[in-house]
Amino acid sequence: MSILVINPNSNEAVTDGLRESLRGFENVSCMTLVEGPFGIESQRDSDAVILPLLKVVEASPDARAFVIACYSDPGLDAARSISKAPVFGIQESGLAMALCRADTFGVVAIGEPSIQRHRKYMRRMGVLDRLAGERALNMSVDETARGANTFQRLTEVGTDLMADGAGCLILGCAGMVRHRGRLEEHLGVPVIDPTQAAVAMAHGTLVASSL
């Protein structure tokens, strides 16, 4: 095992989407946190997965890097405090990549309550001045992974964010990953899947450490 990607919710459809989106990367394994809620859609959901997530990190000594595949980055600081291997959160990684792709970025959230949580995180990272806007699909995590109307909503929200001035878009939920390539082609601006961004950074870190 090289990089372990942990889906902190218990929705296997989200994990299947992650496996599909990461098939181009070598030495990546994806797992579902069965103790997690079906979708992480609130601060309470995010906080509830921290302890079981830490148990997975502690029980995976063969992993050379971890990726926490939830846009709330639950337990990121705690996981880093107990792991000798590097730990990547997908919100932090997605934002870092967005700063390299455009002067301003927009974030597609699953619901309105997520926006305040994300803004607090962006304030902590000091990147709010690069944020053109964040808008919500107002769908559940499961709907973003399996819903028939997800792409249509992504197109609508993405178009609104571009009108707000976004030069690139970040998909603010791991469940949206299936639509990244098609959405980028349709809108004509970079669309960042944050889990792909985190895995790319993990790979780069491991390569650099071996030189």
Side-chain angles (χ1 to χ4, degrees), residues 132-210:
E134 179 165 2
R135 293 175 178 263
L137 298 179
N138 292 318
M139 303 175 76
S140 69
V141 172
D142 190 53
E143 285 175 319
T144 66
R146 296 193 266 201
N149 297 321
T150 303
F151 184 76
Q152 179 181 341
R153 283 293 296 143
L154 283 167
T155 300
E156 294 168 353
V157 171
T159 300
D160 289 340
L161 286 168
M162 290 168 63
D164 293 337
C168 72
L169 303 177
I170 305 173
L171 302 179
C173 176
M176 303 178 196
V177 62
R178 306 171 188 269
H179 307 285
R180 191 210 67 79
R182 184 182 172 198
L183 186 65
E184 182 173 280
E185 182 177 358
H186 184 81
L187 295 179
V189 297
V191 176
I192 296 168
D193 171 65
T195 306
Q196 291 175 336
V199 170
M201 291 181 183
H203 263 291
T205 299
L206 295 180
V207 169
S209 67
S210 68

Side-chain angles (χ1 to χ4, degrees), residues 107-141:
V107 180
V108 182
I110 56 169
E112 298 292 341
S114 301
I115 294 177
Q116 182 180 6
R117 189 164 68 251
H118 297 165
R119 287 186 66 88
K120 289 179 180 178
Y121 197 96
M122 286 184 278
R123 185 178 299 113
R124 170 184 167 186
M125 287 185 65
V127 300
L128 277 176
D129 61 330
R130 302 278 292 275
L131 175 69
E134 179 165 2
R135 293 175 178 263
L137 298 179
N138 292 318
M139 303 175 76
S140 69
V141 172

Side-chain angles (χ1 to χ4, degrees), residues 98-105 129-132 165-168:
L99 298 180
C100 300
R101 299 300 306 276
D103 183 54
T104 56
F105 61 88
D129 61 330
R130 302 278 292 275
L131 175 69
C168 72

